[in-house]
Amino acid sequence: MTLDAIDKKLLLLLQKDSRRTTKELSLQLNLSVTAVYERVKKLEREGVINRYVALLNTKKVQRAFVVFCHIKLVQHTKEYLTKFEQEVKKLDEVLECYHVSGDYDYILKIYVADMEAYREFMVTKLTTLQHIGSTHSTFMISEVKNTNVVVV
């Protein structure tokens, strides 16, 4: 699907606040409500828009302690990779998991209440997963930039 300038502006507006009404969007895009509605539906149908979510204030829900955990597996077999990925998807504390190149195999972004909660997570959940060779944790000091807006 080729995106025109209006699609791109529409996507930017929706990424900044997906609760905007079709009428609000139509006024900002200088289009009819029907035209905006049809564009949004097409973007959804084509898979450009995956889903709509509510972003939480992690401090208010006691999940403001952010850890980046680098994982090395003992071996790089398909079986080990698949098993690890299946198991890590079940961990609620892990919000993001990336298979990466370099010194480590995976990087996890973990949200917990505090250091004690992270220790409990490591001891009772993460290190019980099969095929982990080593872990290296880095703790967030402050958030400099955190956005979900992809400019197209």
Side-chain angles (χ1 to χ4, degrees), residues 22-86:
T22 308
K23 184 176 182 176
E24 289 172 319
L25 293 168
S26 72
L27 292 172
Q28 290 186 300
L29 296 169
N30 203 21
L31 292 173
S32 71
V33 172
T34 304
V36 171
Y37 176 82
E38 290 300 324
R39 281 179 181 265
V40 170
K41 288 301 170 196
K42 183 178 181 185
L43 292 165
E44 291 171 350
R45 224 178 14 257
E46 294 291 328
V48 175
I49 297 173
N50 274 340
R51 63 181 181 253
Y52 299 92
V53 299
L55 301 175
L56 305 183
N57 179 331
T58 57
K59 290 178 185 170
K60 299 222 181 224
V61 295
Q62 290 76 47
R63 294 290 184 271
F65 192 76
V66 180
V67 183
F68 297 94
C69 184
H70 299 73
I71 306 278
K72 267 188 195 176
L73 299 183
V74 290
Q75 287 184 353
H76 299 106
T77 65
K78 183 177 181 180
E79 176 193 344
Y80 284 17
L81 296 173
T82 303
K83 181 68 173 164
F84 174 79
E85 290 174 6
Q86 288 170 346

Side-chain angles (χ1 to χ4, degrees), residues 109 142-147 149:
K109 189 174 184 184
S142 69
E143 188 173 270
V144 176
K145 181 178 181 180
N146 182 346
T147 183
V149 177

Side-chain angles (χ1 to χ4, degrees), residues 2-148:
T2 304
L3 301 174
D4 64 17
I6 294 171
D7 289 331
K8 291 176 181 181
K9 187 169 183 185
L10 175 59
L11 289 169
L12 187 62
L13 292 169
L14 286 172
Q15 286 181 95
K16 289 183 178 179
D17 182 2
S18 66
R19 294 183 65 195
R20 293 177 198 214
T21 65
T22 308
K23 184 176 182 176
E24 289 172 319
L25 293 168
S26 72
L27 292 172
Q28 290 186 300
L29 296 169
N30 203 21
L31 292 173
S32 71
V33 172
T34 304
V36 171
Y37 176 82
E38 290 300 324
R39 281 179 181 265
V40 170
K41 288 301 170 196
K42 183 178 181 185
L43 292 165
E44 291 171 350
R45 224 178 14 257
E46 294 291 328
V48 175
I49 297 173
N50 274 340
R51 63 181 181 253
Y52 299 92
V53 299
L55 301 175
L56 305 183
N57 179 331
T58 57
K59 290 178 185 170
K60 299 222 181 224
V61 295
Q62 290 76 47
R63 294 290 184 271
F65 192 76
V66 180
V67 183
F68 297 94
C69 184
H70 299 73
I71 306 278
K72 267 188 195 176
L73 299 183
V74 290
Q75 287 184 353
H76 299 106
T77 65
K78 183 177 181 180
E79 176 193 344
Y80 284 17
L81 296 173
T82 303
K83 181 68 173 164
F84 174 79
E85 290 174 6
Q86 288 170 346
E87 294 300 314
V88 82
K89 287 177 184 177
K90 297 176 188 174
L91 302 174
D92 293 334
E93 296 86 350
V94 177
L95 271 69
E96 299 175 40
C97 174
Y98 301 98
H99 188 187
V100 296
S101 64
D103 293 336
Y104 294 94
D105 300 313
Y106 291 91
I107 298 176
L108 311 181
K109 189 174 184 184
I110 300 163
Y111 285 75
V112 290
D114 52 28
M115 179 63 84
E116 186 177 320
Y118 182 62
R119 183 185 186 285
E120 181 69 17
F121 168 75
M122 285 291 288
V123 170
T124 64
K125 293 183 179 180
L126 189 62
T127 57
T128 64
L129 298 184
Q130 296 180 356
H131 314 305
I132 292 180
S134 66
T135 65
H136 176 86
S137 300
T138 304
F139 307 99
M140 181 182 76
I141 294 171
S142 69
E143 188 173 270
V144 176
K145 181 178 181 180
N146 182 346
T147 183
N148 291 304

